[in-house]
Amino acid sequence: MDAKPQQNPEPPYSTLPPQGATSVPPPPAPMRTTLRRAAFGAVAGAVLVAGAVIAVPDDEVAAPPAPGPVARAEAAAAAGSPASLSDLTALIGDRQKWVETHPADAPSWAVLGTAYVEWGRRSADAAYYSRAEQALQRSLAAQPGERGNTEAWVGLGALANARNDFLAAKKWGETVRSRQPRSWTAYPVLIDAYNGLGDYAAAAKATEKYGTLRKGVPALARTSEMYRNQGWREDALATAREASDHAATAAEKAVALHRLGDLAAERGEPAEALAEYDAALRTDRGHLVSLAGRARALAALGRTDEALADYRTVTTKLPRPEYVLELGELFESLDLDGDARTQYTKLRGLLSQARTAGVDESLTEARLEADHGDPEAAVELMRTAWEGQRRSAAVADTLAWSLHRAGRSEEAMQYADQAVGTGVRNASYAYHLGVIESSLGQDGPARGHLEEALRTNPDFSPLAAPLAREALDALGDPAAGGPAQMQPPSAEPSAEPEPSQEPSPEPEDAASPEASVKPSPDAGKGSPEPSASPAPSPRAADGASAAAAP
């Protein structure tokens, strides 16, 4: 059935003759009875009208009834906004009951599948992704996408993004966009897919198009994310505040406040981040991602007991792998190695469950292996991701760090440079690049990137931030003066040496100045190039310049 199901369908009109006692019409009432009934009805009507006039003033109109949870969830989905968990639960239950008796209703199957995706993402229960796939396939079986069922295609794109299969999400999103270029529904899928693949230019174009097609808080949130990925912190903050100011529902407000908390944490302002996360939790007590952010901010403030309590709660109710890794590293920073190993063991179990459910958690797994397991395994994981077109800043940074931990720092440099060069102001990226440069003897650049990491966010990690300070202290202060090419030119021209009276004759095989400048006729025809020597460190370069000076 393509038509939208009616909630309370009208009973069909019956043309059958009445049967039983109702088939005999009652006798007509006498004239006196008729007049008495008419008078009584007039009096009763006057009393009711007077009561209504007294009860309802002339300048007020009765408000319509408030929408129920199912209607609220449907309205949020139609606007591209998040729904509260209770409303989402009500929507899932309503659609489940409906499709049991209407198995050919393709739109209802698409709504149910998309709701399963959202529930699985917000509960970290990957089992719902399998249910979502089944529901969306039932929708396409009832009505193929080529016949207008693009809602199911959008749902499959959202499912692919939830599983971190960004290539598949890109395919579904671009398919919908090509068929319905004026519809906004494909753009959230495309934005997430392009960001996951590291195609930030395409993500920016999709974000701008989404903003022209769909005004409001969701577009502002996406725009703030785009500015953050480009390193425009002030613009990201201003747009996120505008989204928070215009949020219309509690769920929408909580998401906007959480984004403000994340931006404050990246700037190295944990107290402000904590205030934003607390405000998000007051708005929506079930917003567990804000509870994870709160734990992160408390750890940065040194309130470790409170941070551990929040981490334990969030890893129980929302066991995302990255949160379990953060809790394990917090334990390790406190020298609680036994508790840390317990969390790493739990994390390996979650990663195994994710693989079984078809979710790609290779990024978190590589971070675990690089610092707490087998760095070579981390390299293989990130190599596979990179060859599969996942080339985001996070993947480039993790691949670089895995290569460094595996003893291949020279190979790691190109990926670390790419992660920092994307524009994302992430202290971990600068820290990893600085350590890699230090291992290669590039003390000057290493010092600069380590200082950048600690300046961006002095407490970016309870385990890595102290190591960044130690690495910076080990490099020491830079040499006095600076590079020779940075010195201002001398005010007085240097005196040229006087030529000798009897210059010594040049050897016969010495090349004349003209010959040394004039290119060889065979240049550029496969002549061997000189071998490139590794660039010296800034200190070595300064010493060589001083030794060569007359």
Side-chain angles (χ1 to χ4, degrees):
M1 292 172 57
D2 296 341
K4 183 177 179 180
Q6 298 180 1
Q7 299 296 332
N8 297 304
E10 295 290 336
Y13 177 75
S14 177
T15 58
L16 296 177
Q19 299 180 2
T22 59
S23 61
V24 180
M31 181 62 65
R32 181 180 297 177
T33 303
T34 302
L35 294 175
R36 187 186 305 116
R37 289 177 179 175
F40 179 79
V43 173
V47 172
L48 291 176
V49 170
V53 171
I54 295 173
V56 181
D58 293 338
D59 57 346
E60 292 186 8
V61 179
V70 175
R72 289 196 301 265
E74 290 177 340
S81 300
S84 66
L85 288 177
S86 58
D87 292 350
L88 188 61
T89 303
L91 177 62
I92 290 174
D94 179 79
R95 294 298 88 186
Q96 284 176 337
K97 292 180 180 179
W98 179 263
V99 296
E100 287 177 359
T101 55
H102 302 77
D105 188 349
S108 291
W109 279 113
V111 170
L112 180 59
T114 306
Y116 278 148
V117 173
E118 183 67 8
W119 182 262
R121 187 182 66 83
R122 295 173 65 175
S123 65
D125 189 350
Y128 277 90
Y129 296 153
S130 299
R131 300 183 187 181
E133 187 172 8
Q134 294 173 3
L136 293 169
Q137 293 297 342
R138 289 287 298 271
S139 177
L140 291 172
Q143 179 185 355
E146 293 80 2
R147 291 173 50 193
N149 190 9
T150 56
E151 293 84 358
W153 281 350
V154 172
L156 287 173
L159 174 61
N161 276 326
R163 286 173 163 170
N164 295 325
D165 186 359
F166 301 114
L167 277 178
K170 174 185 174 183
K171 180 195 74 172
W172 291 118
E174 291 181 346
T175 301
V176 175
R177 182 178 61 182
S178 64
R179 290 180 173 271
Q180 296 181 344
R182 300 301 302 171
S183 175
W184 61 267
T185 56
Y187 285 92
V189 172
L190 286 173
I191 294 169
D192 290 339
Y194 290 144
N195 282 327
L197 294 173
D199 192 351
Y200 298 115
K205 292 181 180 179
T207 302
E208 293 173 356
K209 186 64 175 179
Y210 178 62
T212 61
L213 296 175
R214 190 68 180 177
K215 305 292 184 181
V217 174
L220 290 172
R222 295 286 184 176
T223 304
S224 175
E225 179 187 16
M226 177 189 70
Y227 290 150
R228 180 257 177 194
N229 290 338
Q230 294 174 342
W232 301 349
R233 284 185 167 182
E234 293 77 9
D235 300 274
L237 177 60
T239 311
R241 289 201 182 281
E242 186 177 359
S244 176
D245 294 340
H246 290 83
T249 65
E252 204 172 54
K253 184 76 169 180
V255 171
L257 291 170
H258 176 80
R259 179 172 298 279
L260 289 172
D262 284 349
L263 292 174
E266 288 185 352
R267 295 193 306 269
E269 300 174 359
E272 182 177 347
L274 179 62
E276 300 291 357
Y277 294 135
D278 284 340
L281 290 168
R282 287 194 301 270
T283 304
D284 184 358
R285 291 182 298 175
H287 203 250
L288 294 175
V289 292
S290 290
L291 185 62
R294 186 177 190 274
R296 202 176 301 119
L298 288 170
L301 291 170
R303 297 160 59 178
T304 54
D305 291 341
E306 298 172 77
L308 290 173
D310 283 351
Y311 266 127
R312 289 190 181 99
T313 301
V314 76
T315 53
T316 300
K317 296 182 177 180
L318 188 66
R320 290 184 178 177
E322 60 266 30
Y323 298 159
V324 179
L325 178 60
E326 290 176 14
L327 177 55
E329 291 185 342
L330 179 58
F331 276 130
E332 189 171 345
S333 70
L334 299 173
D335 294 329
L336 301 174
D337 295 338
D339 293 323
R341 286 192 297 269
T342 300
Q343 295 302 317
Y344 298 150
T345 302
K346 177 182 178 181
L347 175 55
R348 294 184 187 281
L350 292 174
L351 294 172
S352 177
Q353 294 175 13
R355 281 192 296 269
T356 303
V359 181
D360 185 356
E361 290 287 358
S362 58
L363 187 62
T364 304
E365 186 174 0
R367 289 170 175 168
L368 171 67
E369 295 295 346
D371 285 325
H372 316 287
D374 183 3
E376 289 291 348
V379 171
E380 292 301 318
L381 287 168
M382 289 296 92
R383 285 282 193 202
T384 302
W386 193 265
E387 293 170 359
Q389 303 303 312
R390 286 185 62 182
R391 299 182 179 180
S392 64
V395 172
D397 169 73
T398 306
L399 176 56
W401 188 244
S402 301
L403 286 167
H404 166 73
R405 297 283 291 176
R408 289 183 267 173
S409 297
E410 292 184 0
E411 189 178 357
M413 272 294 299
Q414 58 175 323
Y415 301 105
D417 276 329
Q418 181 166 336
V420 173
T422 56
V424 179
R425 302 282 294 277
N426 190 302
S428 294
Y429 300 169
Y431 161 67
H432 289 158
L433 177 56
V435 171
I436 293 170
E437 289 169 334
S438 178
S439 68
L440 296 175
Q442 302 178 15
D443 293 352
R447 186 181 295 105
H449 285 114
L450 290 173
E451 290 176 346
E452 178 185 349
L454 295 173
R455 184 172 58 252
T456 301
N457 186 358
D459 302 294
F460 63 92
S461 166
L463 196 60
L467 297 178
R469 295 186 184 91
E470 293 178 5
L472 185 60
D473 292 341
L475 289 174
D477 296 329
Q485 61 270 23
M486 297 299 294
Q487 297 295 330
S490 176
E492 298 180 359
S494 58
E496 295 182 1
E498 297 180 358
S500 58
Q501 298 296 330
E502 297 180 2
S504 59
E506 297 181 356
E508 295 180 359
D509 58 345
S512 63
E514 290 81 4
S516 63
V517 175
K518 185 178 180 180
S520 171
D522 295 332
K525 297 183 180 181
S527 58
E529 298 181 357
S531 59
S533 59
S537 66
R539 293 181 181 178
D542 294 345
S545 301

